[in-house]
Amino acid sequence: MEQRHLGRTGLRVSRIGLGTLTWGRDTDEHDAADQLKVFWEAGGTLIDTADVYGGGEAEYLLGQLVERLVPRRDLVIATKAGSVPDPDRRFDGSRGHLLAALDASLARLGTDYVDLWQLHAYDPGTPLEETLQALDIAVSSGRARYVGVSNFCGWQLAKAATWQLAPGGIRARLASTQMEYSLLQRGVEREVLPAALDLGVGLLPSSPLGRGVLTGKYRHATPADSRGASEQLAPFVEPYLDEAGTRIVDAVTTAADGLATTPLQVALAWVRDRPGVVAPIVGARNAQQLAAALSVESLSLPDEIRRALDDVSAPVHRYPDQDWSTL
């Protein structure tokens, strides 16, 4: 699998990442092991997890599988911290919480360091300088090799990345920002992606298949074993099952038929090759699903199909989002 630099850093990652959101919850040890082997054998390196996935079980399960199945040196392990199970405070970006969370992640993962440590979200209740200091400490102490953010809007990303580039002390450059991005969700193109491109921050798209909708599985009914049929995850899928989503899925399906491939591959190839994108993060129920996603490595969309998909999924950009220099 092709490797790409993560932002303006020396870290190289596979251009498809493996997500572990369901590991330790819906994905058991057997299925997780099969996925990890299939991913590694395909040349995949980037494994994405978080301290809250499965209440910590995703990290623990990954830690149990690494070395037993795949050499630690062959993987780029990325995890996140900052989310908390508190209805009154969903995110905690305080230095104390973040560093304690990192130590707990390392213990569950059974490793001395993570390759990429990311802030799970922006915490308006903590000064940003304090939050970013935790990233600097993580890097200077060797507990994290690189750092990034997740779910930061445009101005938050720009402020954080600019602060980290300012002179004075040890400041770890932001390598990445992880955001939802797909043909069904192109909101990052307004401000986040331009900021990331300008600042040399690599984009790691989550939900690149539109929460599963872009595979076409929901075109005629809701499969019983799908997220859309799950009481817990149905509200996560439902927003994309609207009229606009249907038009986009139909266009993806038409493109797939013309290319003798699958809607999954078309949708994944589209986001993988967008400017600024480093590696979409793909989650799968089993190794067969993951192998189907990884087969996109051999697909490049023809320009006319890419432009048609751009058009049918184009977000509405009005003032002040237009590029006035081109008008």
Side-chain angles (χ1 to χ4, degrees):
M1 190 183 303
E2 180 183 323
Q3 305 290 304
R4 293 173 169 174
H5 283 280
L6 186 59
R8 208 168 290 158
T9 74
L11 179 63
R12 288 165 57 84
V13 300
S14 54
R15 65 174 180 169
I16 298 292
L18 174 59
T20 64
L21 174 64
T22 63
W23 283 25
R25 187 183 65 197
D26 301 322
T27 303
D28 62 20
E29 181 176 358
H30 175 76
D31 283 336
D34 286 346
Q35 288 185 33
L36 184 58
K37 285 189 289 186
V38 165
F39 185 66
W40 177 61
E41 289 169 357
T45 61
L46 177 62
I47 312 285
D48 178 76
T49 190
D51 61 351
V52 293
Y53 290 174
E57 287 300 310
E59 287 184 330
Y60 178 75
L61 180 51
L62 177 58
Q64 294 297 299
L65 296 177
V66 172
E67 293 299 349
R68 197 177 85 197
L69 295 177
V70 178
R72 171 68 181 89
R73 64 180 180 275
D74 287 357
L75 299 178
V76 176
I77 296 178
T79 194
K80 311 178 198 71
S83 291
V84 292
D86 182 347
D88 297 320
R89 185 181 188 182
R90 295 180 58 204
F91 308 112
D92 187 344
S94 65
R95 182 175 57 246
H97 170 81
L98 291 173
L99 293 175
L102 176 57
D103 288 339
S105 288
L106 294 175
R108 285 189 292 268
L109 289 164
T111 184
D112 294 331
Y113 69 94
V114 290
D115 300 280
L116 177 65
W117 189 46
Q118 304 160 98
L119 302 173
H120 213 154
Y122 182 86
D123 174 19
T126 301
L128 183 59
E129 302 92 296
E130 177 182 336
T131 297
L132 296 175
Q133 188 180 39
L135 300 184
D136 299 338
I137 293 171
V139 171
S140 63
S141 66
R143 286 176 281 178
R145 299 287 171 84
Y146 295 87
V147 290
V149 297
S150 175
N151 299 306
F152 273 41
C153 70
W155 73 263
Q156 293 164 351
L157 172 63
K159 184 176 181 180
T162 302
W163 176 268
Q164 292 302 94
L165 291 172
I170 299 174
R171 291 193 175 144
R173 168 190 283 274
L174 294 188
S176 65
T177 179
Q178 187 168 331
M179 300 288 290
E180 183 171 353
Y181 188 27
S182 73
L183 279 161
L184 292 174
Q185 178 51 270
R186 295 176 61 182
V188 297
E189 293 178 7
R190 293 179 182 270
E191 292 189 343
V192 174
L193 192 49
L197 284 165
D198 184 69
L199 293 160
V201 176
L203 180 64
L204 300 175
S206 58
S207 295
L209 298 175
R211 307 178 184 183
V213 174
L214 287 166
T215 64
K217 69 173 73 175
Y218 298 104
R219 290 185 79 199
H220 306 296
T222 299
D225 61 347
S226 68
R227 289 180 176 183
S230 162
E231 181 178 351
Q232 181 182 20
L233 294 174
F236 181 67
V237 175
E238 191 275 333
Y240 293 156
L241 300 177
D242 59 5
E243 184 177 343
T246 298
R247 286 197 303 272
I248 295 170
V249 172
D250 287 346
V252 170
T253 303
T254 299
D257 290 342
L259 293 170
T261 186
T262 65
L264 180 155
Q265 290 180 314
V266 169
L268 190 55
W270 180 88
V271 71
R272 180 200 64 197
D273 296 333
R274 298 295 287 177
V277 167
V278 176
I281 307 298
V282 176
R285 286 200 313 274
N286 52 52
Q288 291 73 28
Q289 265 194 357
L290 178 60
L294 296 178
S295 65
V296 75
E297 181 68 13
S298 61
L299 176 65
S300 294
L301 296 181
D303 287 344
E304 61 271 21
I305 288 180
R306 178 184 50 77
R307 286 194 295 267
L309 294 174
D310 289 351
D311 290 343
V312 75
S313 65
V316 177
H317 283 200
R318 296 194 175 97
Y319 179 86
D321 296 311
Q322 297 104 320
D323 182 357
W324 292 99
S325 65
T326 64
L327 296 182

